[in-house]
Amino acid sequence: MAAAEIPCVKLLDGTSIPVLGLGTWESKPGEVKTAVDAAISAGYRHIDCSPTYGNEAEVGDAIAAKIKDGSVTRDQIYIVSKLWQTYHEPDVVEDGLRATLKNLQVDYLDLYLMHFPIGFKVKISKWWFDLFISIFNFFKQQSGLVPAHDANNQIITTDRDYVDTWKAMEKLVEKKLVRSIGVSNFNEEQVDRILTNCTIKPVTNQIECHPYFNQKSLSEHCAKRGVIVTGYSPFARPSRSWVGPDEPILLEEPALVVIAKKYNKTVANILLRYQIDCGHITIPKTVSPERMKQNKQIFDFKLEPSDISEIEKLNRPDGRIFRLALLSFCKNHKYYPF
């Protein structure tokens, strides 16, 4: 399949984004470069990153190599990254972006997201920033300001208003360092508060989304405001380490197996097509070249409304899978989104 066969959708700022991208969260150092290389070779043009994932430098190496060998040009790759929580203070927002640009070896991002609405207190002062970045870049590890911890080794949060952080992100667009900006893990009230106080509107809200946790209310809320949902973990992360023996596996759900047979597709294809038919962008993570190719086989069919209704029956009150990644230590924070 050619790259052009992954369609794009227009965002509210007039830019376009491929509806299917490659997620890189939990892609291990040493394998993510090969994964990104394979994805670009397979026709993927949307790569989702974050400094929090600890592999941005390797992703950058892969993208740079594909540009150098003539496989793609920079403007053919849609690169997304995120503002880490230690960079919520307005005077260091640009520093956070520039660390990411350096790791990814590019001059601008197509989309920059506020990863979470709560900021972290910084362990080191801004005076040490350049030295810190240099050391971490040397070892090709996650770069950025280190969060401070209390006596119980718990990360210390700040009360910085995410609206202030957003206004600093708007300046990145004005400086042409990023083309679009958005949010991630924001709830309905927080999305509305950004929209009420912004000059540049967020184009997307990247959230966990799959049939066990379909986020229908939040999705419809965002859609009414022109904010497209980007759904991460569309397969409900079957390899999660904390899955119990009695917990269901989404890829093995009997109802999905029946639907997959109806369309002569894989269950993974059905799950990705479900996201597309819900009006979402989706970013499945894989390091398997074969699965990357299989995941693209979703643009020659569309789910019937009755099938979507069956899939929506899988929604569960306890369907959120990131139970260990919910930043529960800050659940009493005024901006905790869950």
Side-chain angles (χ1 to χ4, degrees), residues 65 138 157 261 303:
F138 177 78
T157 60
K261 288 181 179 178
L303 293 171

Side-chain angles (χ1 to χ4, degrees), residues 40-267:
I40 293 174
S41 295
Y44 285 76
R45 296 295 180 263
H46 171 180
I47 311 295
D48 184 84
C49 320
S50 172
T52 317
Y53 304 162
N55 58 17
E56 267 197 343
E58 200 168 320
V59 173
D61 287 343
I63 293 173
K66 298 304 278 185
I67 291 174
K68 184 176 181 179
D69 71 15
S71 298
V72 290
T73 59
R74 169 64 188 92
D75 62 351
Q76 292 174 326
I77 299 290
Y78 193 98
I79 304 176
V80 183
S81 191
K82 304 170 188 79
L83 181 75
W84 196 22
Q85 284 116 285
T86 49
Y87 290 99
H88 275 221
E89 294 301 315
D91 64 336
V92 295
V93 165
E94 185 174 329
D95 291 335
L97 170 64
R98 288 193 179 278
T100 280
L101 293 177
K102 186 173 182 179
N103 273 341
L104 292 173
Q105 302 176 49
V106 293
D107 296 325
Y108 69 94
L109 293 181
D110 296 277
L111 176 60
Y112 198 43
L113 308 178
M114 194 186 310
H115 207 155
F116 198 70
I118 300 174
F120 294 161
K121 186 175 180 181
V122 177
K123 182 178 181 180
I124 59 176
S125 68
K126 191 171 181 293
W127 184 84
W128 285 94
F129 178 78
D130 290 335
L131 176 60
F132 186 82
I133 294 300
S134 297
I135 294 172
F136 269 76
N137 277 346
F138 177 78
F139 290 105
K140 293 293 184 183
Q141 299 294 321
Q142 173 179 305
S143 60
L145 302 177
V146 175
H149 291 70
D150 61 20
N152 297 316
N153 201 34
Q154 199 66 265
I155 291 176
I156 302 172
T157 60
T158 73
D159 289 327
R160 170 57 61 189
D161 191 333
Y162 56 83
V163 170
D164 296 336
T165 306
W166 181 260
K167 290 178 178 178
M169 290 177 65
E170 291 178 331
K171 295 179 181 178
L172 304 177
V173 180
E174 295 167 2
K175 292 183 177 182
K176 301 187 184 306
L177 294 172
V178 301
R179 296 178 66 204
S180 303
I181 48 178
V183 295
S184 180
N185 300 305
F186 273 50
N187 60 34
E188 294 179 12
E189 179 183 347
Q190 291 167 339
V191 169
D192 285 350
R193 191 159 172 262
I194 289 286
L195 289 169
T196 299
N197 293 279
C198 70
T199 299
I200 300 174
K201 294 180 180 180
V203 297
T204 189
N205 185 15
Q206 187 177 121
I207 56 176
E208 178 186 338
C209 190
H210 48 78
Y212 286 156
F213 191 61
N214 64 32
Q215 300 264 43
K216 191 171 183 178
S217 176
L218 180 54
S219 174
E220 291 175 350
H221 186 89
C222 289
K224 289 177 182 176
R225 289 151 179 79
V227 179
I228 293 179
V229 159
T230 298
Y232 64 76
S233 296
F235 306 142
R237 199 183 173 212
S239 62
R240 59 195 186 277
S241 59
W242 64 89
V243 64
D246 299 324
E247 289 191 63
I249 302 298
L250 186 60
L251 288 167
E252 299 174 1
E253 280 288 344
L256 295 175
V257 172
V258 170
I259 295 172
K261 288 181 179 178
K262 173 181 175 180
Y263 292 94
N264 194 28
K265 294 290 183 178
T266 67
V267 171

